[in-house]
Amino acid sequence: RPVLPVMYSLAVTLLLVLPLALAFSSPSTLLPRAGKRTEGALLALAGVADDPICKLPGDPSLVVHTSAVLGEEAKHAFLTAASKAVAACLSKPESYVAVCIVDGVTMSFGGTTDPAALACLYSIGSVNQPNNAALTKEISALLGAHGVPDNRIYINFFDVPRENCGWSSRTFAG
């Protein structure tokens, strides 16, 4: 007889907790080993996968901070070249690429204030070793033209889940 109350309690707990877990978690968090196929099936069940935004390439964004002072004309040239480099290296349409450069920043790198740069690249997919290496080379060359040696540049790469990237008043997950 003691088994029935325990099973009833377990069933009620599952009925209460599972919907909350689904509501506040992404499918990849709940099923980390399930892969894209299962995640797509869960999104389809939720009616999200039919949203056209789910098929868009997403947002590659590059944010660069450097102690070098570029000046207005050089900043515009850097933005144009960096945007093309991000699109080419990540195989994404340039129409989705965003680039920001903040120059003249006070920073320390390796214990000195010699010219340096810190950058972050955020992208929905396309973050992998070959793409990261190619983009690191391109951005290092662009910054090198402004006196920043390649051994004083850090670029961090972040693969952003679609549900964690907002655009056009919603996320790329729908």
Side-chain angles (χ1 to χ4, degrees):
R1 294 207 188 257
V3 173
L4 283 176
V6 171
M7 290 185 68
Y8 176 75
S9 175
L10 180 61
V12 169
T13 302
L14 282 174
L15 288 173
L16 293 174
V17 173
L18 189 58
L20 288 173
L22 290 172
F24 294 105
S25 299
S26 71
S28 58
T29 303
L30 291 172
L31 303 169
R33 294 186 181 171
K36 295 288 182 193
R37 189 171 177 186
T38 303
E39 185 173 333
L42 287 172
L43 290 173
L45 283 173
V48 174
D50 294 333
D51 191 331
I53 198 167
C54 296
K55 294 171 180 52
L56 293 175
D59 160 53
S61 302
L62 176 67
V63 180
V64 179
H65 289 83
T66 181
S67 58
V69 177
L70 277 64
E72 288 306 309
E73 202 171 298
K75 275 196 272 193
H76 289 287
F78 179 91
L79 292 172
T80 300
S83 180
K84 290 184 184 324
V86 169
C89 293
L90 272 56
S91 299
K92 299 266 190 161
E94 191 176 5
S95 60
Y96 283 90
V97 175
V99 178
C100 172
I101 184 155
V102 182
D103 67 335
V105 175
T106 303
M107 65 172 56
S108 171
F109 189 113
T112 75
T113 57
D114 294 342
L118 302 172
C120 293
L121 182 283
Y122 306 91
S123 180
I124 296 173
S126 299
V127 174
N128 56 54
Q129 200 284 323
N131 291 355
N132 299 355
L135 188 57
T136 297
K137 183 177 180 178
E138 294 292 324
I139 298 304
S140 294
L142 291 173
L143 289 166
H146 299 286
V148 181
D150 62 0
N151 66 342
R152 293 186 56 80
I153 301 169
Y154 279 153
I155 304 174
N156 294 293
F157 295 86
F158 300 93
D159 193 348
V160 180
R162 297 183 83 75
E163 65 268 19
N164 291 347
C165 185
W167 173 74
S168 194
S169 300
R170 53 196 175 155
T171 70
F172 280 98

